[in-house]
Structures are given as structure tokens and as C-alpha cells.
Amino acid sequence: MNHDQLFLLKPDFQDRGKTYFCPSCAEIGGLLEFSPALKQRVDVHYVDFPRPRPELAPLLGEENQSCPVLVLKSVPSNLPAHLAVRHANSHAFVEGAREIAEY
């Protein structure tokens, strides 16, 4: 892994015949557009809505397939104490739009 890996749901996904988008994924997408330098520091992957998500399940396990999620290449030592970095399958990750933006 050369960069942190950011996983977002694909925009305009279908579920039971209706079209949806993930507000949290849209928030992170907007952050990346607002700050292009951030986009160069992560590898962005757009995943399908249905579970299991084959891109995420092998990395973080079946129970950790929420999006948005940022899988970290390494954990910096200077993170704020309140920022929740979780671990699964030998990978560290941050979930949720606000948490990822703060990271």
C-alpha cells in the first residue's frame, strides 16, 4: 500500500429500485474537490452498495464494511487522543466523514 486507501460508495447507487447517494461519502468527495492536495495523498476507491463489498471485506472483515472508511498505511503518532483509530485484520482505519476529515 503506497498511500492511505479511501473507500466511498459509488454515487447514485440503486437499492430496491430507487436511486440513492451516501451523504457522508458525498461530504468526503466534496472535501477532496475543495482540497486537491488531499486527493494526491490517498488512493480513492468507489465501491458498490451491496454487501459483502469485495474490496473491503478482505481488508477489514465482514463486520467493517461501512463507507466512508480510510484504511491507513501507517498510524501517525501525533493524532488527537479523541480520534478513534480502529484495527482489523492487521489494518488501522478511520470511519465516518467527520473523523476522516479530522484525520
Side-chain angles (χ1 to χ4, degrees), residues 62-98:
E62 295 278 329
E63 65 281 359
N64 297 304
Q65 297 182 61
S66 296
C67 289
V69 64
L70 181 66
V71 181
L72 307 177
K73 180 180 176 183
S74 62
V75 179
S77 60
N78 60 346
L79 289 177
H82 68 276
L83 188 63
V85 175
R86 300 179 58 201
H87 294 83
N89 294 345
S90 301
H91 295 286
F93 63 100
V94 177
E95 285 184 313
R98 298 294 168 149

Side-chain angles (χ1 to χ4, degrees), residues 1-102:
M1 193 165 36
N2 292 330
H3 295 95
D4 292 343
Q5 306 289 311
L6 177 64
F7 293 87
L8 304 171
L9 291 179
K10 291 179 181 175
D12 297 331
F13 60 84
Q14 296 283 318
D15 185 37
R16 297 183 205 135
K18 291 187 177 184
T19 302
Y20 296 93
F21 73 96
C22 171
S24 295
C25 293
E27 186 175 339
I28 293 299
L31 174 63
L32 293 175
E33 293 303 315
F34 185 75
S35 180
L38 290 175
K39 194 186 281 189
Q40 295 176 6
R41 295 176 31 201
V42 297
D43 292 332
V44 180
H45 306 276
Y46 291 93
V47 299
D48 290 322
F49 175 71
R51 292 183 186 204
R53 297 183 176 131
E55 303 88 351
L56 278 174
L59 285 175
L60 303 178
E62 295 278 329
E63 65 281 359
N64 297 304
Q65 297 182 61
S66 296
C67 289
V69 64
L70 181 66
V71 181
L72 307 177
K73 180 180 176 183
S74 62
V75 179
S77 60
N78 60 346
L79 289 177
H82 68 276
L83 188 63
V85 175
R86 300 179 58 201
H87 294 83
N89 294 345
S90 301
H91 295 286
F93 63 100
V94 177
E95 285 184 313
R98 298 294 168 149
E99 293 80 2
I100 291 169
E102 187 170 347

